Amino acid sequence: VQLQASGGGLVQAGGSLRLSCAASGRTFSGYTLAWFRQATGKEREFVAALKSTNSNGFYADSVKGRFTISRDNARSTLYLQMNNLQPEDTAVYYCTASRTIIHSNLRVPSAYDAWGQGTLVTVSS
């Protein structure tokens, strides 16, 4: 599957953005999908994941209650609604997918098979 993320930009603290990740190439509905982010000088970190068989998302503690991950299988698109953004949310956000990942590896970047190119989110204070 090929992934392309979009929707990043510059926003003030407290604002909102919605990221999108368009998929092509394989059956979208069978994939576990996730968002990771990487700030300058830091390692890539897990943000949220959504299994193919579960409508409930899994979230990093730092974004729980502010971010919502969702998918539209008919449009082969993954979303990340980000509310109450804070400067520490500034990062390049990546979407990723896996058909075979197990639950215990949801937060592990190397467990995913395909990655989008990333979209930059900048939150000003």
Side-chain angles (χ1 to χ4, degrees):
V1 66
Q2 289 79 45
L3 304 171
Q4 183 160 355
S6 62
L10 174 64
V11 63
Q12 289 187 332
S16 298
L17 281 175
R18 188 176 81 156
L19 305 183
S20 299
C21 177
S24 61
R26 295 289 298 269
T27 303
F28 182 77
S29 59
Y31 282 83
T32 291
L33 305 168
W35 291 97
F36 283 74
R37 66 186 181 187
Q38 188 165 18
T40 302
K42 295 188 176 181
E43 293 187 352
R44 193 166 297 189
E45 66 170 354
F46 172 79
V47 174
L50 191 60
K51 292 183 177 180
S52 62
T53 57
N54 193 325
S55 61
N56 297 318
F58 300 88
Y59 298 92
D61 288 343
S62 58
V63 307
K64 201 172 294 183
R66 300 188 298 123
F67 291 10
T68 302
I69 188 171
S70 62
R71 63 194 295 166
D72 184 336
N73 287 335
R75 289 185 166 85
S76 296
T77 303
L78 172 71
Y79 301 101
L80 184 69
Q81 178 66 43
M82 305 185 295
N83 298 328
N84 191 22
L85 283 160
Q86 300 300 315
E88 53 266 33
D89 296 316
T90 295
V92 176
Y93 283 71
Y94 298 90
C95 54
T96 185
S98 174
R99 290 181 60 87
T100 60
I101 195 169
I102 59 175
H103 180 80
S104 59
N105 284 342
L106 285 178
R107 300 168 187 263
V108 180
S110 61
Y112 290 85
D113 309 312
W115 291 84
Q117 85 287 5
T119 185
L120 176 62
V121 173
T122 304
V123 184
S124 63
S125 57

